[in-house]
Amino acid sequence: MYRIAVMVSGNGSNLQALIDNVHRNATVDAEIALVICSTGEAPAIERAQQADIRTEVVTMQAHGDRDSRDREVVRLLRLVHPDLVVMAGWMSIVTPVLLDAFPDQVINLHPSLLPAFPGMDSIAAALDWGSHVTGVTVHVAEEAVDGGPPILQEPVPILPGDTLETLSERVHGVEHRLLTRCVTLYAEGRVRRDPTRVRRMLVDEAGA
Ligand code: GRF
């Protein structure tokens, strides 16, 4: 069975989407083997526990700096032999300690059409910019924040009269669907690097 680890920091609505649509979906041969949370007080932890998924808390405070924190993350990940590590609302920069331990196996979810609006508060930034469109990106994680090649992207129109609340709701809805699809495609072996263009991810959606 394909083994997934999920890294979270907060609400965990994207984790919930993966629990409901991948972990508990009998038609996808995959399970969430571990959830790692960057804080002890996130609703995401309860979501994982409700689903009987092993949960670990790894805080920066307990480890002092990012490298030491990531060494602990790697140690915990190695215990469950993940095929894929999904950063689903993990709100902290990760280091090569993690990325080099799982090359091309760490993916990240971001609420904009990268490379537009990287970093924090991307939904508000798109709204404030007056952009007519934003979206969602799932990409391979690299050392540069929100910098790795996209795997799946989907635009979300910004409507006249949209508020942060209404736009966020639509963006999160797309995130839940896109992340589920992306993880399912990985589990089915349908994602690989383009051998001729290294920054391009090839996704075989036929029959998916
Ligand atoms: C999502 O918008 C994700 O893209 C961003 O943080 C948010 C996490 O939401 N990085 P949730 O914790 O999955 O509800």
Side-chain angles (χ1 to χ4, degrees), residues 10-15 88-91 109-111 172 175:
N11 180 24
S13 66
N14 286 284
L15 167 66
W90 172 264
M91 304 306 272
L109 171 68
H110 185 77
H172 292 318
E175 283 191 312

Side-chain angles (χ1 to χ4, degrees), residues 78-99:
R78 283 197 170 128
L79 296 175
V80 301
H81 305 288
D83 297 293
L84 186 69
V85 179
V86 182
M87 298 198 290
W90 172 264
M91 304 306 272
S92 178
I93 294 170
V94 295
T95 70
V97 170
L98 168 63
L99 300 173

Side-chain angles (χ1 to χ4, degrees), residues 135-208:
V136 174
T137 302
V138 188
H139 64 93
V140 179
E142 286 184 356
E143 201 180 343
V145 175
D146 301 325
I151 307 153
L152 293 179
Q153 292 189 289
E154 185 171 318
V156 175
I158 300 179
L159 308 175
D162 252 340
T163 61
L164 183 57
E165 200 177 34
T166 58
L167 180 58
S168 298
E169 198 178 314
R170 291 207 308 287
V171 168
H172 292 318
V174 172
E175 283 191 312
H176 300 159
R177 187 161 41 71
L178 209 68
L179 186 65
T180 295
R181 187 148 63 91
C182 189
V183 170
T184 304
L185 286 163
Y186 266 95
E188 293 176 347
R190 295 173 183 272
V191 183
R192 63 191 171 96
R193 284 220 183 227
D194 185 336
T196 62
R197 250 171 90 200
V198 126
R199 251 201 81 88
R200 171 92 190 186
M201 300 303 292
L202 294 178
V203 179
D204 170 18
E205 297 223 46

Side-chain angles (χ1 to χ4, degrees), residues 15-156:
L15 167 66
Q16 190 69 56
L18 293 178
I19 291 171
D20 295 342
N21 304 315
V22 178
H23 185 75
R24 289 185 169 139
N25 183 345
T27 66
V28 184
D29 192 24
E31 65 173 354
I32 301 175
L34 176 65
V35 169
I36 296 182
C37 189
S38 64
T39 153
E41 281 144 37
I45 296 176
E46 202 179 319
R47 295 179 191 268
Q49 287 171 345
Q50 289 273 330
D52 283 327
I53 297 169
R54 176 175 176 171
T55 309
E56 302 280 356
V57 174
V58 184
T59 66
M60 191 78 99
Q61 294 91 311
H63 295 275
D65 58 46
R66 285 201 180 94
D67 279 3
S68 324
R69 190 268 321 265
D70 284 1
R71 272 193 287 278
E72 176 63 2
V73 168
V74 168
R75 188 187 70 78
L76 292 167
L77 288 172
R78 283 197 170 128
L79 296 175
V80 301
H81 305 288
D83 297 293
L84 186 69
V85 179
V86 182
M87 298 198 290
W90 172 264
M91 304 306 272
S92 178
I93 294 170
V94 295
T95 70
V97 170
L98 168 63
L99 300 173
D100 293 349
F102 296 96
D104 257 5
Q105 286 173 277
V106 185
I107 66 173
N108 183 48
L109 171 68
H110 185 77
S112 78
L113 280 185
L114 289 170
F117 311 116
M120 302 288 285
D121 301 323
S122 307
I123 302 174
L127 200 58
D128 292 349
W129 185 254
S131 186
H132 291 216
V133 66
T134 185
V136 174
T137 302
V138 188
H139 64 93
V140 179
E142 286 184 356
E143 201 180 343
V145 175
D146 301 325
I151 307 153
L152 293 179
Q153 292 189 289
E154 185 171 318
V156 175

